[in-house]
Amino acid sequence: MTAAAPRTLSHLEALEAESIGIFREVAASFERPVMLYSIGKDSSVLLHLARKAFYPSRIPFPLLHVDTTWKFREMIAFRDRMAAEHGFELIVHTNADGVARNINPFDHGSARYTDIMKTQALRQALDAGGYDAAIGGARRDEEKARAKERMFSHRNARHAWDPRNQRPELWRVFNTRLGPGESMRVFPLSNWTELDIWTYIYTEGIEIVPLYFARPRPVVERQGTLIMVDDDRFRFAPGETAREETVRFRTLGCYPLTGAIRSPAADLPAIIMEMQASRTSEREGRLIDSDQAGSMEKKKQEGYF
Amino acid sequence: MSSVTAIPAPDTALDLWLAQQARKDLLRFLTCGSVDDGKSTLIGRLLYDSRLILDDQLDALRKESRNRTTGEEGIDFSLLVDGLAAEREQGITIDVAYRFFATERRKFIVADTPGHEQYTRNMATGASNADLALLLVDARKGLLTQTRRHSFILSLIGVRHVVLVVNKIDLVGYDRAVFEAIENEYRPFAASLGFASVQAIPVSALRGDNIVGASPHTPWYPGPALLPYLEQIEVAEDHAAGKLRFPVQWVNRAGHDFRGFAGTVASGVVRVGDALVVAASRQPASVSRIVTMDGDRAEAIAGEAVTLVLDREVDVARGDVLTRPGETPEVSNQFQARLVWMHEDPAFHGRSYLVKVGAQTVPGTLTAIKFRTNVNTLERTAATKLELNEVGTVTLALDKPVAFDPYGDNPHTGSFILIDRISNATLGAGVIDFGLRRAQNLSYQSFDVNRQVRAEMKRQEPAIVWFTGLSGSGKSTIANLVEKRLTAEGKHAYILDGDNVRHGLNKDLGFTEADRVENIRRVAEVARLMADAGLIVLVSFISPFRNERRLAREIAGDVRFTEVWVDTPLAVCEARDPKGLYARARRGEIRNFTGIDSPFEPPERADIVLHGGEEEPAALADALYGRLFG
Ligand SMILES: Nc1nc2c(ncn2[C@@H]2O[C@H](COP(=O)(O)OP(=O)(O)O)[C@@H](O)[C@H]2O)c(=O)[nH]1
């Protein structure tokens, strides 16, 4: 052996290895894991890391998409193409009861709609699948309450999180054991920041939904928020019409609830540049979080991610 | 200040800038200090000064900061990092929270750990993944007991670099003497703990002195400001140095012809062609491929997650450690360790837990608590148990050998957690000092018929359940019900009680002191033999003396031993008097009768207490069954 210069990992290499290790720990420790796939950029990174973790095997668990029926059409097309290209098992769940009751973001308000079509739908899907571990793409830098969550976060039989009763998490030794009916939420991206995500997407060449890139799109402006008119279910206010603007999205969700930003950034470097220069946080575009402080924590206790 | 992550200058090629972002290295540190020393303010300040706080957050923060202590910016920085609603109401940080910021050179992950008295456990948690610690001291208060406690925990968990942050230096008039007195008091203490580096820095987190740059208020301080110091300190060891440890995390079977061993290199470097051995079985093999999705690699260094393919069929499973011949780790089923207890239910010696070392999870018994270390004085005292937040030096015996290294040599293969077998709670975290019995020569191929093998045939975990309590308390009734339930579940159990022992095995024994001890010794030895044979043994003996019960526990050794105290009041037992014994004792016809003219020493550390006077035997048996076998 020849003496070489000391070698260390870059922070992205270290984060990647940490996440891969978590994926493998899940596959080895749980009977029925599932990965929540929201089609957004964090999910794209999650998918990429999962593929790396198990290569050359396929991802040994299904990906679950909770479809509220109000996602951007481009998201759905992207999701189906990814499933076909990477050969993962895709489970799509919609709250059928919510659909029957025609629950929608226009008539029922974002909070109620989100509760029924997202939170309850997720719980239904998790119960139906009997999953003992659900992998999600949440990051600790997103919100104060998330900063304290474990990478392996224990949920009681009602899917609820008890922030006072978290298992201490030391080294890379994760306690993956569960009692009857209990489950684990697992967050491989815990230590990634938004900039890490974007830089990694760039250096790894990861494909993301084109909605992240600025293009001319039909939008209406409501209380300073630009909403894209993605299909003919959109309800215009009297006198309101869509106009074409060059916009992009910082986060993706249900199109009537997701604000676009005016931006010329049509490729990754431009987005990253713009993000570095921008002075507002990512979640601002997500209307469901704009209620009172501490809301995320409440949602988590209720079983929302 | 150039040290913060900036927008690339217009003339920088974007690709170059991004490549530079991707190449930054990572420093993980934790903050510790007592409540109100200014930890939250300091972290908030670091986030603010590295431009991490965005406009919308700043606006919200300015609003929230009214009626609070703020610096010139009009912001109470501590609000930035106070998380959960309940904690905010209490006004204290009670858990570990993680924060992120970056400068041009480094990305930082900060574990924010609380200063509250009771939360040693959270600090140990934060420290376990940290390269460095910021130890906060309030300049007005100087070193506190907690400063010493935190330093001890840092050294226990192996954090090698410490920055002594003397905060609130503004409140002592930027007095050099105050700073130097604190530093001079700390250095000799720290020297005993063996840190690789200690740097003291006078700062005001609130006003920003010596955070990003040298403060005009402390011209007497020649050292670095905090952020530049964190940016340049070399903490990373050469990842490729050290002995190879590759713990197998997951076996990758892709189709019929691919069998790879997925894991993260814990230390050293592995190259294609290297001759390896499986640590436990000593089976040799060499590396034929190092597989990643980005293509095969020639080598992988510590910290990298890869998949190894070996050149021949070897028996390797999750939990095995691949290493090099000549640099193998210890393989043993017993070791000595230091244990931080993290749960309200104390640790007792003789208790059985699940031990997770790396990817290996094995049942094990806390065979001894050698001593407890007072985290404030570092004094060692004898102890029979460890309470929440206590630190003890213990020995553990596992049901099967595992591969490990002393923690000082390798934190990844030398650390473990203890898990409760029933509630699955994480009870404690330990660092291994050394193996106790060298089982290196243990041959994997030789198939010993041992307790584990017999128990596996019976699909049960052998155990001794020792019932103690007054005559008539209900011991035998409950033991009988539990035995029935076990039998119904297909388990193999056996009851030892006065009736089936006194008339045979122990019929030569009377009631003298010596005979009593011999009586218990024989019963305990028989229970142990039966457990070795794979049985669940229910022992129903008055066993009124603590010494007797301790003896029984000691004889049980590494068999799971549960002391069940059927605590029925004497009056209730006497009223029941099923065999008329109390009446006879009262009349003086029986001597040395427990409860009448001979004492019953209540157990000080019964594992389970059943209140016989208050509930029906069936309910008690159900409850007991649930706790033991549910
Ligand atoms: N004057 C002054 N006050 C400070 C400094 N650092 C923190 N404080 C104040 O000390 C109090 C406790 O600070 P906080 O960060 O909440 O402490 P923690 O409990 O360690 O997180 C708050 O009122 C802060 O404004 C400092 O450097 N100088």
Side-chain angles (χ1 to χ4, degrees), chain B residues 46 50 89 98 177 212 215 260 270 311 396 422 532 564-565 609:
Chain B
L46 288 170
S50 54
E89 276 152 32
Y98 296 88
V212 282
S215 164
V270 59
D311 67 337
L396 279 150
I422 296 159
D532 256 339
V564 178
W565 176 20
V609 181

Side-chain angles (χ1 to χ4, degrees), chain B residues 34-41 69 78 167-168 170-171 203-206:
Chain B
S34 306
V35 180
D36 280 347
D37 281 351
K39 273 191 322 297
S40 311
T41 309
T69 320
S78 70
N167 189 32
K168 308 197 186 182
D170 54 316
L171 295 182
V203 310
S204 169
L206 191 69

